[in-house]
Amino acid sequence: MTYTIEKVATLIGARRYGEADTVVGWLLTDSRSLCFPEQTLFFALRTHRNDGHKYIPELYRRGVRSFVVDSLPPVEEQGYAAPAWDDLPTLYPQANFLRVTSPLAALQRLAERHRDEFSIPVVGITGSNGKTMVKEWLYQLLLPSQKVTRSPKSYNSQIGVPLSVWLLNENSEVGLFEAGISQPGEMMALHDIIQPTIGVLTSLGSAHQENFRSMEEKCMEKLQLFHGTEAIVYPSDDDTVSRCIRRSGYRGQRIGWSMNDERAEMYIENRAECFENAEGSVNVQSGTPLGTTITYIYKGTRGQYTIPFIDEASIENSVTCAATALYLGLTPEDIADRMPHLDPIAMRLEVKEGQRGLTLINDSYNSDVNSLDIALDFMSRRGGRKTLVLSDIYQSGETPSSLYRQVSSLCMERGINRFIGIGDEVAQQAMQIAVPDKHFFRDVEQFVQSDVFRQLHDEVLLLKGSRRFGFERISELLEQKVHETILEVNLQAVVDNLNYFRSFLSPDTKMVCMIKADAYGAGAIEIAKTLQDHRVDYLAVAVADEGAALRKAGISANIMVMNPEMTSFKTLFDYDLEPEVYSFRLMDALIRAARKEGITGWPVHIKLDTGMHRLGFELDEIDEVIERLRHQTAIIPRSVFSHFVGSDSNEFDDFSARQFASFEAGSRKLQAGFRHKILRHMDNSAGIEHFPERQMDMCRLGIGLYGVEPYSSVKSQLKTVSTLKTTILQMHHVKAGESVGYSRRTVLERDSVIAAIPIGYADGLNRRLGNRHGYCLVNGQKADYVGNICMDVAMIDVTDIACNEGDQVEIFGQNLPVTTLSDVLETIPYEVLTGVSNRVKRVYFQE
């Protein structure tokens, strides 16, 4: 659906500047995600760290013609630095500006009015856990018989919800929308946008509990989503939830489901693991676990279904889905027929290193236009040639020709160089795909046997397909073949940690992110791409070769080199890298090298020694620094900085204060010697938290970015970035008195089960953890390292743990913090993280 700009202005109560005849079909809040500029309406949102108004000139150049603003946008032409409102039609002659009090409120208001256009069942889903899984499984259950519009991914915030509701169109028969909150007072705005007719509360847990006085307060806030709905589905075994629903005076139909109470609207009479026998039929006697069979009674009618999962969360979420689907009109037979085919929900985009120079982005659990757009947006922010491998898209509610015209438009807007279609339907619509380099195959097998597959090299490959097409075979064939030990890197956690530290800073304070030592072991290129995408001001590496590698990978952000070597000057100049200067010897050599290359005004960063006594100019040398810099033109000071010795501990506060006073004096003296602005920075990760008042012009974020809390006096709110995992290769039953490993260093005191795992000191597993000095986690339980850790293999004691060969082992990560290992080793987490070998494959994902 589209709206005229005039109608949009009326709906949001805006004053319009401009007379361009435009229509609105797409809403945009992030300038990086622009796809269809001609029909895009950009909302210039303000955050603590950013202001969308400053991106308006760039978006106008890229073709956007409709903007919602609350203040005058910047204009690049000289003489119009601060235009009046009536000047806008002259300065932006083809644009419309809609002036409002709050662009965010206007976005929400427009979504509300759009929602008013639809008299269809709309399910509003909230809860502490399981929202996205319930929404996606409901989508899978309803889709065979109804045209469903749903939230993309986890779009459940004050911004994400209106963008989701905007997706409703003339084909929509059911809407499924998530609503997430983190503090009191947020839910009513989401209620007014979604206007649900049916409510679903998945669960009540501890997420965001720090912002609520009690669990009851949080539950009552969530229940506001269901005001005016005709029915609510909820777990009635949760006493807090049931009590709050009674207290709320909810007037609609209450569909509580229970594992314990036979009087519940939806009673789970029985649940049992099901097994697959040799013939492939399902029984409950022996064989390989297949899933869970659930017998229920819904409003007096007994039914049964099987899901291909055995974990508790999946069982509970399936019951929520069954109750909701039955209320929406599905029959018990429909439920029984569709539940066994539920797909696991991919909560993340995976980025993996492939063979032949390929970068693989795997998003092959589902295939629809909205999720395709999100995946293409993610892909477009990575450099290099781009190839999309797409399967048939089923049950979209569109005619095939219309559907694949949309797909083609997305591909062209996102810069896809090659299109590979797999399936009969997409092949039949080949004429709709405008990408010149296009190929079509009947199925995955035909594709992997083709010359097109064999010739893939040096490109970014997005795998986007329905599960039934078996795209995992493509991924398996193209992945870089390494051993089963991997380092998982959560890119969303990097962003969350960045934003956490940004929350301490003023909007105009700049940020340097340290990605030296291969981004503390996480992989510098992917981390740099993510940070550049989120507009950090500087990246910092240790040596010039690290910076050159980033430039070769397409990183264009400012890069600071902290430890430049005398032999690296040519690399600095060739790859636009800005060196730290800490001594007169280095300064003079750099000036000579720059003059030789005919370079003037090369930015450098002056380091002062205020107490670390590692590198840097002494304070009594600053006059000489100024004198030498002013009598040459080859280099120019861009910033001046120093290092806190002990910002991570209150113990050193007095010394930190003396350091800062010294730096304050020295940096001001340096600034006084020059007319241009010289940035000053001293706060590191711990300093940002400990001394936010000392943030100055810029801060340097290091270990905190990677999820390790740097300041000892605060409870960490950081997200785990890196998780080192491996698998069990083999298990042995070993008698008491026998030894394990080289040199018989561990002698067993009881009959034991010993597992071998494919990780050793060549992978970064420290030998000092052996012989029961450390442990890993197997299925969530501690397993001691026994015997000496070998180069490629370690042995662990799994005697009291239910596990099998092939089970996953966590060396450090989400459940076993890296600080636990560093404490055992009497070292720092930096050493553990940077010690992970390059032969360990990095697997990146975006939640």
Side-chain angles (χ1 to χ4, degrees):
M1 292 180 64
T2 60
Y3 292 79
T4 65
I5 194 68
E6 182 178 7
K7 183 174 181 179
V8 171
T10 301
L11 292 176
I12 65 176
R15 181 172 179 179
R16 178 183 174 189
Y17 295 87
E19 298 180 354
D21 186 16
T22 57
V23 296
V24 174
W26 299 78
L27 306 185
L28 181 70
T29 61
D30 185 340
S31 63
R32 298 164 298 180
S33 299
L34 178 64
C35 189
F36 297 102
E38 307 82 13
Q39 294 190 0
T40 290
L41 176 62
F42 177 68
F43 289 80
L45 303 183
R46 297 181 188 274
T47 66
H48 176 66
R49 291 290 308 175
N50 214 342
D51 182 356
H53 293 78
K54 68 183 182 182
Y55 302 109
I56 288 174
E58 172 198 347
L59 289 169
Y60 184 78
R61 289 196 305 272
R62 295 169 65 188
V64 178
R65 294 295 179 260
S66 303
F67 303 90
V68 178
V69 299
D70 63 12
S71 64
L72 288 164
V75 178
E76 294 179 339
E77 290 84 348
Q78 291 185 357
Y80 295 104
W85 286 101
D86 291 336
D87 291 331
L88 287 177
T90 302
L91 302 173
Y92 294 93
Q94 298 174 307
N96 287 287
F97 287 87
L98 305 185
R99 183 182 179 183
V100 296
T101 302
S102 164
L104 175 58
L107 170 67
Q108 296 174 339
R109 174 73 174 172
L110 180 58
E112 288 179 34
R113 300 289 68 82
H114 181 66
R115 168 67 181 89
D116 290 342
E117 299 290 324
F118 300 91
S119 298
I120 60 174
V122 171
V123 182
I125 305 168
T126 192
S128 298
N129 299 292
K131 295 186 292 293
T132 301
M133 183 172 288
V134 166
K135 178 201 67 186
E136 292 296 323
W137 280 359
L138 276 173
Y139 175 75
Q140 294 178 31
L141 292 172
L142 297 173
L143 196 58
S145 52
Q146 299 179 74
K147 296 172 183 176
V148 183
T149 297
R150 73 197 194 282
S151 308
K153 297 290 183 181
S154 298
Y155 277 31
N156 57 32
S157 67
Q158 300 290 316
I159 298 173
V161 168
L163 294 177
S164 299
V165 170
W166 182 256
L167 298 175
L168 287 169
N169 59 70
E170 56 272 11
N171 294 315
S172 302
E173 295 176 338
V174 178
L176 304 175
F177 300 110
E178 295 180 47
I181 59 168
S182 59
Q183 58 189 11
E186 291 185 331
M187 188 59 87
M188 277 310 297
L190 303 184
H191 166 273
D192 293 344
I193 299 167
I194 297 172
Q195 301 169 42
T197 60
I198 301 148
V200 173
L201 180 63
T202 58
S203 65
L204 189 65
S206 59
H208 304 297
Q209 187 58 47
E210 68 275 8
N211 297 326
F212 294 89
R213 290 172 295 182
S214 65
M215 197 69 78
E216 286 80 4
E217 182 187 39
K218 181 165 65 175
C219 186
M220 293 300 290
E221 177 71 20
K222 290 181 181 293
L223 290 177
Q224 291 188 49
L225 177 63
F226 309 133
H227 178 71
T229 57
E230 62 192 48
I232 177 177
V233 177
Y234 65 98
S236 58
D237 287 340
D238 188 315
D239 292 337
T240 301
V241 171
S242 294
R243 184 169 62 253
C244 288
I245 289 176
R246 290 193 299 270
R247 177 182 156 194
S248 71
Y250 179 74
R251 297 181 179 180
Q253 184 175 342
R254 302 178 186 181
I255 306 174
W257 63 264
S258 173
M259 302 279 187
N260 306 311
D261 186 357
E262 297 180 8
R263 299 168 299 175
E265 289 287 296
M266 177 91 163
Y267 170 56
I268 305 308
E269 188 176 50
N270 187 46
R271 44 182 279 191
E273 284 189 346
C274 58
F275 295 81
E276 183 179 7
N277 62 20
E279 290 73 36
S281 60
V282 176
N283 62 42
V284 292
Q285 298 175 359
S286 62
T288 303
L290 178 67
T292 306
T293 297
I294 295 167
T295 305
Y296 64 89
I297 299 174
Y298 176 74
K299 296 185 176 181
T301 300
R302 180 176 281 102
Q304 187 179 85
Y305 63 84
T306 297
I307 57 172
F309 310 99
I310 60 174
D311 61 287
E312 191 68 25
S314 293
I315 293 169
E316 294 180 0
N317 288 330
S318 78
V319 174
T320 298
C321 290
T324 307
L326 288 165
Y327 180 82
L328 285 168
L330 265 63
T331 65
E333 292 74 23
D334 292 332
I335 300 293
D337 180 55
R338 299 174 188 180
M339 281 283 189
H341 304 292
L342 291 179
D343 290 336
I345 304 306
M347 302 299 288
R348 63 197 196 184
L349 291 165
E350 285 190 337
V351 183
K352 298 181 180 180
E353 183 179 354
Q355 301 177 43
R356 307 194 298 271
L358 295 172
T359 298
L360 307 179
I361 301 177
N362 190 3
D363 188 27
S364 59
Y365 285 92
N366 57 63
S367 181
D368 60 82
V369 172
N370 292 330
S371 64
L372 173 62
D373 188 28
I374 293 171
L376 287 174
D377 180 35
F378 180 79
M379 182 191 200
S380 69
R381 305 183 193 186
R382 275 145 180 79
R385 179 177 169 83
K386 298 175 179 64
T387 295
L388 168 64
V389 183
L390 180 72
S391 76
D392 287 349
I393 298 176
Y394 291 117
Q395 297 163 323
S396 68
E398 303 269 356
T399 64
S401 60
S402 174
L403 171 65
Y404 290 101
R405 276 198 301 271
Q406 290 184 54
V407 169
S408 179
S409 296
L410 291 172
C411 290
M412 299 304 290
E413 291 288 342
R414 299 298 187 190
I416 298 301
N417 303 106
R418 174 160 45 184
F419 181 93
I420 297 171
I422 295 180
D424 293 334
E425 184 175 276
V426 67
Q428 291 169 9
Q429 300 299 321
M431 294 298 294
Q432 306 296 340
I433 304 299
V435 180
D437 186 1
K438 55 186 177 182
H439 309 269
F440 298 90
F441 300 91
R442 178 182 61 255
D443 52 29
V444 166
E445 189 59 34
Q446 185 185 35
F447 171 50
V448 299
Q449 297 298 327
S450 71
D451 288 340
V452 174
F453 180 82
R454 285 188 288 271
Q455 293 168 6
L456 293 171
H457 68 90
D458 298 306
E459 54 198 288
V460 182
L461 196 71
L462 171 60
L463 303 176
K464 185 70 177 160
S466 299
R467 191 184 183 208
R468 69 188 73 181
F469 280 88
F471 271 32
E472 62 272 11
R473 174 156 163 71
I474 303 173
S475 180
E476 289 168 1
L477 290 172
L478 293 178
E479 280 182 33
Q480 191 74 268
K481 296 298 187 289
V482 294
H483 66 95
E484 295 175 84
T485 299
I486 63 171
L487 185 74
E488 281 193 347
V489 181
N490 185 343
L491 297 178
Q492 185 59 51
V494 173
V495 175
D496 291 343
N497 294 339
L498 172 66
N499 289 335
Y500 168 76
F501 283 98
R502 276 178 163 170
S503 71
F504 289 87
L505 307 182
S506 300
D508 55 353
T509 302
K510 299 181 184 298
M511 181 73 85
V512 182
C513 286
M514 313 301 293
I515 54 171
K516 59 184 180 178
D518 203 25
Y520 293 53
I525 291 174
E526 282 298 327
I527 297 297
K529 288 177 179 178
T530 299
L531 295 172
Q532 177 174 275
D533 199 31
H534 287 268
R535 298 188 172 97
V536 300
D537 302 282
Y538 268 95
L539 303 173
V541 296
V543 296
D545 285 344
E546 290 180 331
L550 295 178
R551 289 287 187 242
K552 292 174 184 177
I555 300 302
S556 59
N558 298 321
I559 298 177
M560 189 183 302
V561 178
M562 306 302 287
N563 300 302
E565 298 163 312
M566 295 291 185
T567 57
S568 70
F569 296 155
K570 185 68 163 57
T571 302
L572 295 174
F573 301 144
D574 287 348
Y575 291 99
D576 193 21
L577 309 174
E578 302 177 20
E580 166 190 319
V581 174
Y582 52 80
S583 71
F584 291 118
R585 174 174 173 266
L586 175 59
M587 179 187 292
D588 292 342
L590 183 61
I591 291 171
R592 288 194 300 270
R595 285 173 175 167
K596 183 178 180 181
E597 297 287 333
I599 289 171
T600 60
W602 196 265
V604 300
H605 303 270
I606 305 298
K607 185 172 187 179
L608 304 183
D609 182 6
T610 58
M612 179 75 78
H613 301 317
R614 184 172 61 180
L615 294 171
F617 291 102
E618 300 291 338
L619 297 185
D620 59 9
E621 296 177 317
I622 293 177
D623 287 332
E624 180 65 18
V625 170
I626 295 171
E627 183 69 15
R628 294 198 190 189
L629 288 174
R630 290 181 63 177
H631 283 81
Q632 55 81 50
T633 58
I635 63 175
I636 185 171
R638 181 71 182 96
S639 81
V640 57
F641 69 103
S642 189
H643 280 283
F644 279 118
V645 169
S647 57
D648 57 341
S649 173
N650 296 340
E651 176 185 356
F652 305 112
D653 279 1
D654 289 343
F655 188 79
S656 294
R658 293 198 297 273
Q659 272 195 283
F660 185 73
S662 296
F663 179 69
E664 177 81 6
S667 61
R668 286 190 180 278
K669 189 173 187 179
L670 181 67
Q671 176 65 81
F674 298 89
R675 292 181 179 179
H676 72 278
K677 170 71 173 177
I678 299 176
L679 301 173
R680 301 188 299 159
H681 49 111
M682 191 164 184
D683 268 352
N684 54 5
S685 296
I688 294 172
E689 291 183 296
H690 193 175
F691 309 125
E693 72 280 3
R694 296 171 180 167
Q695 60 188 261
M696 309 188 88
D697 300 308
M698 191 156 66
C699 296
R700 301 186 304 276
L701 180 57
I703 192 68
L705 182 66
Y706 302 96
V708 177
E709 176 54 58
Y711 180 29
S712 59
S713 295
V714 300
K715 181 180 179 181
S716 178
Q717 299 182 46
L718 303 177
K719 304 288 183 64
T720 299
V721 170
S722 297
T723 298
L724 184 59
K725 295 180 177 180
T726 189
T727 58
I728 294 177
L729 288 177
Q730 189 178 24
M731 297 169 62
H732 288 288
H733 292 270
V734 184
K735 296 291 187 182
E738 292 288 324
S739 63
V740 177
Y742 285 119
S743 304
R744 306 201 70 194
R745 293 292 300 277
T746 295
V747 177
L748 300 176
E749 297 179 354
R750 59 170 180 165
D751 292 351
S752 303
V753 180
I754 304 300
I757 56 178
I759 184 172
Y761 57 79
D763 302 294
L765 186 63
N766 197 294
R767 291 188 79 245
R768 287 178 289 165
L769 294 171
N771 301 301
R772 300 195 188 277
H773 291 124
Y775 64 88
C776 55
L777 295 182
V778 177
N779 295 331
Q781 298 186 61
K782 296 180 180 180
D784 286 345
Y785 295 106
V786 290
N788 288 336
I789 289 173
C790 310
M791 179 181 290
D792 310 304
V793 177
M795 287 73 72
I796 56 176
D797 188 343
V798 296
T799 305
D800 299 317
I801 302 173
C803 59
N804 297 291
E805 292 177 359
D807 282 1
Q808 193 171 90
V809 180
E810 183 174 318
I811 307 302
F812 64 74
Q814 183 68 43
N815 304 299
L816 180 55
V818 66
T819 50
T820 300
L821 270 68
S822 61
D823 288 347
V824 170
L825 295 169
E826 297 182 335
T827 185
I828 54 177
Y830 301 71
E831 182 179 347
V832 178
L833 290 171
T834 59
V836 178
S837 166
N838 285 332
R839 80 174 186 180
V840 174
K841 179 172 66 173
R842 271 68 172 171
V843 176
Y844 301 93
F845 64 91
Q846 179 89 40
E847 293 181 332

